[in-house]
Amino acid sequence: MNEVQYRIGESPALRAMTAGEVIVVDDGTTDQRWQEYVNLTAPLGYASMLAAPLILGGEGTAALVFYASPTGYFTPERQHMIDVFVRQAERALGMSMRVARHRDESDDLRSAMKPRTSIDIAVGIIAQNRCT
């Protein structure tokens, strides 16, 4: 379904990511906001959708999307449970992205230092030759 939403450029998930707000579709057959997307997901048996943004700061943007067959599935109680889950997922994904970024930076620093070792050896050889 990710491919579909990016191909048509609209979906509850894309809206949740750009607006930073939870998007609920109670009944895809009557909701007019993302009709093309809903028309493509309806044959899969999904009538209700909830898209929740993951707030990741400067690390990127993402959304979790929940699908359900019955209309009106995402009641306030279910939305609250999903919010608790989403906040935990947000923390885990954010931490994972920060670790990956730091690992990349560390790898970049190591790569930058490799030629430095050769330079230090060459400087040592030159200095030794001048002293003898």
Side-chain angles (χ1 to χ4, degrees):
M1 288 201 241
N2 277 339
E3 299 83 23
V4 170
Q5 70 183 356
Y6 287 112
R7 182 170 43 84
I8 62 177
E10 65 173 31
S11 72
L14 293 176
R15 176 68 180 157
M17 285 190 297
T18 58
E21 60 189 34
V22 173
I23 303 295
V24 177
V25 176
D26 284 320
D27 185 351
T29 62
T30 60
D31 195 308
Q32 299 298 309
R33 294 175 288 178
W34 301 281
Q35 202 56 54
E36 186 176 0
Y37 181 78
V38 170
N39 288 341
L40 294 169
T41 60
L44 301 172
Y46 302 122
S48 297
M49 294 173 237
L50 183 144
L54 297 172
I55 310 301
L56 303 171
E59 301 296 331
T61 60
L64 283 177
V65 184
F66 300 85
Y67 298 89
S69 295
T71 60
Y73 183 80
F74 297 106
T75 63
E77 294 80 18
R78 287 186 173 126
Q79 289 181 37
H80 175 72
M81 288 189 321
I82 288 171
D83 184 61
V84 171
F85 176 78
V86 166
R87 295 308 136 228
Q88 294 301 316
E90 188 175 79
R91 288 186 189 106
L93 182 57
M95 178 62 74
S96 176
M97 293 175 76
R98 284 190 296 279
V99 167
R101 181 172 41 86
H102 289 300
R103 185 181 53 235
D104 290 346
E105 289 172 358
S106 177
D107 291 346
D108 290 347
L109 288 172
R110 275 194 205 94
S111 294
M113 292 305 290
K114 282 182 184 178
R116 181 68 191 172
T117 302
S118 299
I119 293 169
D120 288 343
I121 291 170
V123 168
I125 291 170
I126 292 170
Q128 183 180 9
N129 285 341
R130 286 189 178 187
C131 292
T132 56

